Amino acid sequence: MTTHETLIELYESLLEAFGPQHWWPGETPFEIAVGAILTQNTNWTNVEKALDRIKARDLLACDSLLGLPDEELAELIRPAGYFRLKTGRLKNFLAWLDQRGGCLEALEDSSVDSLREELLAVKGIGPETADSILLYALDLPTFVVDTYTARLAVRHGLIEPPFDYHELQELFTSNLPCDAALYNEYHALIVAVGKDFCKPKARCELCPLQHHPHSLAESS
């Protein structure tokens, strides 16, 4: 079986088990982008609390957040953890967006590669965050990979350590159609199975992928 066929079979099994995931939570591209930055090293519940605090003050806009004193913004996003660090990262992103017109929607016609390069040049934004903004906020075809993706790929014999972010990403983009909707759904489904079953200590006997060839090899 080819890698393409294996990836498609895994995807179909996950979709049948979990159904559409409707990712990423957020009413606007800007909210999704802010959430992608705030979710670094924390869970989504905490991010929602921070976003709710921002929205309660009607500040969920580039110019509004950029104009806040750092200490005030830090207090708003405190529930997301590492709030001083994330204040700096968020302000860096906001400054970049302000230079690009202050509106994410205006960037949707830009190329994935050029926007990705710009985002990665923003201090505090790494590959996973950049790709999350591109895919979930801008609906551009780039595959987001993370710890869940690595664990699934290794355990199902799709890649062998050591590998970096880009090699893991290439595994998916080179073997799947270049389609933002597919990339969106696939990554969301990987997170779903990773949270419930493909944990560091695997629960293979209950996993919807248990009938696919796998081992308990570790990704790192």
Side-chain angles (χ1 to χ4, degrees), residues 159-164 167 219-220:
I159 195 170
E160 293 185 4
F163 51 83
D164 61 22
E167 290 169 324
S219 58
S220 60

Side-chain angles (χ1 to χ4, degrees), residues 126-205:
E128 184 181 341
T129 302
D131 287 331
S132 295
I133 293 171
L134 292 170
L135 178 61
Y136 297 118
L138 294 172
D139 198 31
L140 293 173
T142 185
F143 201 98
V144 179
V145 300
D146 53 18
T147 301
Y148 297 119
T149 320
R151 190 178 297 140
L152 179 142
V154 170
R155 287 177 172 172
H156 286 271
L158 295 166
I159 195 170
E160 293 185 4
F163 51 83
D164 61 22
Y165 183 97
H166 301 291
E167 290 169 324
L168 181 59
Q169 183 182 56
E170 176 70 13
L171 168 71
F172 287 85
T173 56
S174 64
N175 288 288
L176 294 171
C178 184
D179 181 85
L182 173 62
Y183 290 172
N184 181 319
E185 193 65 71
Y186 208 146
H187 178 244
L189 290 166
I190 289 173
V191 172
V193 75
K195 284 183 175 180
D196 291 340
F197 302 103
C198 200
K199 299 182 176 186
K201 185 176 181 180
R203 300 172 63 205
C204 296
E205 70 281 0

